[in-house]
Amino acid sequence: MAAPDSRFVRACKAMAVDRTPVWFMRQAGRYMAEYRAVRQKHSLIEICKNPQLAAEVTITAAEILNVDAAIIFADLLLPLEVMGLPFHFSAGEGPIIERPVRSHEDVARLRTDSAADLGYVSEGIRLVSTHFGTKLPLIGFCGAPFTLASYMIEGGGSRHYINTKKMMYSQPGNWDELLRKLVLVTSECATAQVRAGADVIQVFDSWVGCLSVEDYRHYVLPRTSELVRNLKQSGAPVIYFGTDTATLLTSMKETGADVIGLDWRVPLDEGWSRLGNDGAVQGNLDPVVLFSAWKNVKLRAQEILDRAAARPGHIFNLGHGILPETPVENVKALAAYVQEYSAGARFHLK
Ligand code: CP3
């Protein structure tokens, strides 16, 4: 941990700050010309596996946007490879896992002894945290057991998660063994990220919103809580994010995560109130709003900041990642606007 007193880390702990910290999920990505230039020469996986390149992409995005936190450039799916499941990204189709996990034998074969092979992620973190020092906190991340399991079982992205739910319902022993293995590997990998200099860990459970509350509580909450407990032992605050989670929020809070990431479907103050108006929340502008005129972006950002009412523990973000065609000027202006408006709001409250 390099910047434990930064406003972003303080906000994660629901402590008072001078203005609302802001960063964006997927802040390094195809919407940014500088990233596209690197991608012309290297594949996504090459960038991830080369600590120098990963650090460069991470630093460039954070500096261009002038946000309050950097997020290490890596991918959610990297642990699949060290567990023995090769995958690749195909243009237009997203990730493809070559041999999806469907049977007891498939789960039994998955390795949990090679998380150290993800050392290139920690190496990139070391470079970024040396670059920024105490000036800018750095976020490390990993996938949550449900979302990673869904990629492993479906073999890629999915609409209805049929194979995933089928395993959950009809092979519960197998399902739990898979989640247990994922918790082992992601705990080790994210803990190594904190040792290398990450200040906060974000756990992405991007697709968990496809579950009913009952199924979430029965099949997912226990192992996800175990992951959060393991990560908190590192001393870093944990952000737990998913989409379509309005009905799951109180259960997600039970994992013990310090910050709950809200998507745009729930009004920020309503989501926070469901969480007991306690702890910290992150969010939650609809990423598609960034495609509209600046006047509208500004208005919608202001609405979110007004709902947060300068209470300690709000981190401004989008409700999901920045999309590839997003106008970069709106993203830059949004970061600056959140910083300026939230500083003013605190001034007026005094
Ligand atoms: O600044 C950042 O946030 C970048 C680091 C980052 C990436 N992936 C790089 C990446 C992070 C935090 C992720 C997380 C990730 N990866 C998630 C969870 C976040 C979310 O959006 O819900 C998921 C589900 C993945 C798996 C994944 N990786 C998918 C579904 C895709 C899309 C495939 C496509 O073609 O759009 C990726 C590719 C990927 N990972 C890109 C980036 C910047 C796309 C750009 C590229 O191909 O260069």
Side-chain angles (χ1 to χ4, degrees):
M1 280 179 271
D5 297 321
S6 57
R7 64 169 71 80
F8 168 66
V9 175
R10 287 177 60 86
C12 288
K13 298 176 179 167
M15 291 162 73
V17 286
D18 56 343
R19 59 171 172 76
T20 307
V22 51
W23 71 280
F24 303 114
M25 292 183 274
R26 297 285 183 110
Q27 63 193 26
R30 283 171 294 200
Y31 77 104
M32 197 177 260
E34 291 78 1
Y35 176 77
R36 289 197 301 273
V38 179
R39 274 287 273 119
Q40 279 205 325
K41 288 186 262 164
H42 306 277
S43 71
L44 173 67
I45 298 295
E46 267 168 25
I47 304 172
C48 291
K49 290 190 173 177
N50 179 330
Q52 288 286 351
L53 278 176
E56 180 195 319
V57 167
T58 303
I59 292 166
T60 305
E63 292 186 340
I64 288 176
L65 300 173
N66 191 30
V67 281
D68 296 297
I71 177 163
I72 187 64
F73 193 88
D75 198 82
L76 213 63
L77 301 180
L78 297 170
L80 270 57
E81 191 181 55
V82 304
M83 294 179 78
L85 277 192
F87 67 91
H88 61 274
F89 287 97
S90 94
E93 278 184 79
I96 297 182
I97 289 86
E98 284 148 33
R99 285 175 281 106
V101 172
R102 300 282 164 85
S103 66
H104 173 68
E105 292 68 36
D106 294 338
V107 174
R109 252 199 308 272
L110 293 171
R111 307 179 60 139
T112 57
D113 60 353
S114 306
D117 293 351
L118 294 167
Y120 51 84
V121 178
S122 298
E123 209 37 58
I125 286 184
R126 209 163 274 126
L127 296 173
V128 177
S129 101
T130 304
H131 174 86
F132 285 126
T134 55
K135 281 207 312 265
L136 199 72
L138 176 60
I139 303 165
F141 69 89
C142 65
F146 174 81
T147 291
L148 284 180
S150 82
Y151 278 107
M152 286 177 151
I153 297 167
E154 302 295 338
S158 178
R159 196 167 148 78
H160 296 296
Y161 300 92
I162 294 171
N163 292 298
T164 308
K165 292 185 183 183
K166 207 163 100 184
M167 185 188 289
M168 226 166 67
Y169 298 135
S170 57
Q171 308 174 41
N174 224 9
W175 169 258
D176 194 57
E177 178 68 4
L178 174 56
L179 263 57
R180 202 184 57 77
K181 288 186 161 190
L182 280 166
V183 169
L184 278 175
V185 173
T186 48
S187 298
E188 187 178 334
C189 162
T191 301
Q193 294 180 39
V194 176
R195 277 199 303 268
D199 294 281
V200 170
I201 294 292
Q202 174 150 326
V203 176
F204 283 95
D205 212 349
S206 306
W207 314 129
V208 73
C210 72
L211 295 175
S212 70
V213 178
E214 292 86 345
D215 284 350
Y216 177 78
R217 297 190 65 82
H218 185 73
Y219 295 104
V220 175
L221 177 60
R223 294 292 174 202
T224 311
S225 304
E226 193 180 315
L227 171 66
V228 172
R229 249 191 330 269
N230 293 346
L231 300 183
K232 284 181 74 162
Q233 275 178 11
S234 70
V238 175
I239 305 172
Y240 180 33
F241 166 80
T243 65
D244 239 330
T245 54
T247 54
L248 298 181
L249 291 174
T250 50
S251 304
M252 289 172 74
K253 177 94 181 165
E254 288 181 39
T255 58
D258 302 85
V259 186
I260 301 293
L262 303 173
D263 84 352
W264 65 91
R265 294 172 181 89
V266 61
L268 186 114
D269 49 343
E270 198 181 310
W272 209 343
S273 142
R274 285 187 207 178
L275 294 165
N277 282 320
D278 168 48
V281 292
Q282 177 173 278
N284 69 342
L285 185 72
D286 182 344
V288 177
V289 167
L290 285 165
F291 289 81
S292 68
W294 167 244
K295 220 175 115 190
N296 184 53
V297 179
K298 189 171 147 182
L299 202 74
R300 301 291 297 268
Q302 188 187 328
E303 224 171 79
I304 290 169
L305 290 165
D306 289 346
R307 287 181 187 278
R311 283 186 280 167
H314 176 221
I315 298 144
F316 193 98
N317 206 312
L318 304 177
H320 202 176
I322 299 182
L323 294 161
E325 312 294 327
T326 305
V328 69
E329 288 313 315
N330 274 351
V331 184
K332 281 194 222 173
L334 175 59
Y337 177 72
V338 169
Q339 292 164 350
E340 181 199 313
Y341 183 83
S342 66
R346 279 173 184 72
F347 182 76
H348 291 301
L349 283 175
K350 278 186 184 156

